[in-house]
C-alpha cells in the first residue's frame, strides 16, 4: 500500500522561472532510467538537486526510501517536499506538464508532430531493457553475436550476473516480509520478475525480445529517414521526449554490444543519429561521470571501476541481492554489485549552461559484498 506521501495529488501547478525550484531527484547516475530524467531536466533547463541512493549497499531497501517509493526503485522526483513522483516516464511527463512557462518544451507544439512524438516515446519506453541486459549475460556472446564492453565481456562477471538472475525472487520475498508497509508493492514487483524470467532464460523467447527492440528501431529508422531536413531529430526539429528515450536506449544497446545487429549496416539513419546525439551536452552529462563529479574521479582512476560503472550500473541495478558464502564479505569489486555508492552530495543545475556542485562525497569502497539487480524504473 502506498504511503501518504506517494498518494499526494500530482495536480498541475505553476513554478517560478527565477532559476529556483524545489525539485530533488533521488537517483543513481548510471541507472538507465535515472539518466533519462537527468537528460530531460538538463534539456529543459530546470534547476534541481539530487540525492544519491546507495542501491549498491541496499539503501533503496530501507524504511526511509521505501516510504518514498515502496517498490525500492530509482529515480524518484520530489517536488516541494509534498509530491513524490516515481517512474522515469511519469517524471518526464510531470516535468513537461508542470514546467512550461519559461522552460524548454520537449513536446512539439504542432498536433501531428506531437502525436508522433508520443507514439514513438511510448514504444521506446515499453521495451524491456533490464530483460535484455540480464539475458545478454545468460546466453553466450558468440550465440548472440554481440560485442559487449567490459565487464560484460568478462566471463567471471557474466557468471555472477547469472547468479543474480537465479536469486532475485528469493530476495524480493525476503524484503517484502521485512517491510510489511511496502509488501504489496514488492510482491507486485516479484510477480513482474516471475513473468519476465522466461524472456531472460529461454533462448527462443529472448530472441523474440531482441526482435521487439529491432521492430521499434525499424520505426525510428523510417521516421528519421523520412525527414528531408537532416537537422531534424527523431520526431521534431528540436530534441523531444522521444529523443530522450531513443538516445539513452542506443547508448545502453551499445554498452551491451548490440550495435552491430541493431544499427550498423542495417539502419543507417539510426547509426547517424547515434553519432550526432552523442555530441549533445545534456546527453553526455546524463550518461557520464566524467563531467561534474569531481570527487568521484579519483575512484574512477581504477579502469575496472570506470568500465564497470559505465556499463552495468542501472541497467541491471536495483533489487538489493545479498548472498552469503561465496558472495559474502570479501567478494571484491564485481559486475553484479555496481549499482550505487554512498553519496551525500548536491548535484545542482540551473538554466542556461548548467553548473554542478558536489559536497561531501566519500569515495566508494572497492570491496563490495552486495548484489543488487533491477532498481530502476
Amino acid at each position: 500500500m502506498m504511503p501518504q506521501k506517494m498518494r499526494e495529488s500530482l495536480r498541475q501547478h505553476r513554478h517560478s522561472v527565477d532559476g529556483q525550484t524545489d525539485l530533488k531527484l533521488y537517483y543513481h547516475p548510471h541507472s538507465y532510467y535515472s539518466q533519462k530524467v537527468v537528460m530531460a531536466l538538463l534539456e529543459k533547463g530546470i534547476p534541481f538537486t539530487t540525492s544519491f541512493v546507495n542501491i549498491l549497499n541496499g539503501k533503496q531497501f530501507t524504511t526511509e526510501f521505501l516510504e518514498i517509493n515502496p517498490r525500492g526503485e530509482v529515480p524518484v522526483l520530489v517536488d516541494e517536499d509534498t509530491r513524490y513522483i516515481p517512474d522515469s516516464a511519469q517524471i518526464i511527463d510531470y516535468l513537461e506538464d508542470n514546467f512550461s512557462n519559461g522552460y524548454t518544451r520537449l513536446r512539439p507544439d504542432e498536433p501531428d508532430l506531437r502525436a508522433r512524438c508520443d507514439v514513438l516515446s511510448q514504444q521506446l519506453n515499453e521495451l524491456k531493457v533490464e530483460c535484455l541486459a540480464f539475458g545478454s549475460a545468460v546466453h553466450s556472446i558468440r550465440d548472440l553475436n554481440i560485442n559487449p564492453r567490459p565487464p560484460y565481456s568478462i566471463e567471471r562477471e557474466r557468471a555472477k550476473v547469472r547468479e543474480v538472475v537465479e536469486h532475485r525472487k528469493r530476495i524480493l520475498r525476503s524484503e517484502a516480509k521485512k517491510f510489511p508497509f511496502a509488501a504489496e508493492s514488492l510482491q507486485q514487483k516479484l510477480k513482474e520478475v516471475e513473468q519476465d524470467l522466461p524472456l531472460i532464460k529461454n533462448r527462443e523467447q529472448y530472441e523474440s525480445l531482441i526482435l521487439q527492440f529491432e521492430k521499434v528501431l525499424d520505426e525510428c529508422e523510417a521516421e528519421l529517414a523520412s525527414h528531408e531536413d537532416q537537422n531534424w531529430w527523431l520526431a521534431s526539429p528540436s530534441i523531444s521526449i522521444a529523443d530522450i528515450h531513443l538516445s539513452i536506449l542506443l547508448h545502453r544497446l551499445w554498452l551491451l554490444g548490440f550495435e552491430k545487429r541493431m544499427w550498423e549496416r542495417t539502419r543507417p539513419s539510426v547509426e547517424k543519429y547515434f553519432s550526432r546525439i552523442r555530441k549533445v551536452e545534456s546527453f553526455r552529462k546524463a550518461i557520464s561521470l566524467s563531467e561534474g563529479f569531481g570527487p568521484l574521479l579519483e575512484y574512477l582512476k581504477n579502469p575496472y571501476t570506470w568500465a564497470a560503472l559505465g556499463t552495468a550500473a542501472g541497467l541491471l541495478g536495483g533489487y538489493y541481492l545479498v548472498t552469503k558464502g561465496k558472495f559474502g564479505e570479501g567478494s571484491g569489486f564485481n559486475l553484479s554489485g555496481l549499482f550505487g555508492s554512498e553519496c551525500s552530495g548536491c548535484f545542482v543545475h540551473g538554466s542556461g549552461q548548467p553548473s554542478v556542485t558536489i559536497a561531501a562525497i566519500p569515495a566508494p569502497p572497492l570491496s563490495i559484498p552486495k548484489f543488487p539487480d533491477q532498481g530502476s524504473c
Side-chain angles (χ1 to χ4, degrees), residues 110-161:
E110 187 177 328
D112 289 346
L113 297 182
R114 184 184 183 94
R116 187 59 178 153
C117 174
D118 289 345
V119 168
L120 289 168
S121 296
Q122 182 177 355
Q123 291 176 340
L124 289 161
N125 189 59
E126 289 177 349
L127 292 171
K128 294 180 178 290
V129 176
E130 65 280 1
C131 292
L132 189 76
F134 278 123
S136 72
V138 169
H139 306 288
S140 74
I141 292 174
R142 179 176 296 182
D143 179 41
L144 294 174
N145 192 26
I146 57 176
N147 180 36
R149 277 71 188 171
Y152 279 112
S153 58
I154 302 171
E155 180 53 34
R156 179 182 68 254
E157 305 303 339
R158 291 168 60 81
K160 291 174 182 176
V161 173

Side-chain angles (χ1 to χ4, degrees), residues 136 141 145-155 157-158 250-261 263-264 274 278 304 306-312 315 335:
S136 72
I141 292 174
N145 192 26
I146 57 176
N147 180 36
R149 277 71 188 171
Y152 279 112
S153 58
I154 302 171
E155 180 53 34
E157 305 303 339
R158 291 168 60 81
L250 293 179
H251 179 251
R252 289 296 162 152
L253 292 174
W254 177 80
L255 290 172
L256 287 170
F258 280 96
E259 73 280 0
K260 182 178 180 181
R261 175 166 180 173
W263 62 81
E264 289 183 357
F274 187 47
R278 293 171 85 172
Y304 287 100
W306 186 212
L309 278 172
T311 316
L315 245 180
L335 174 63

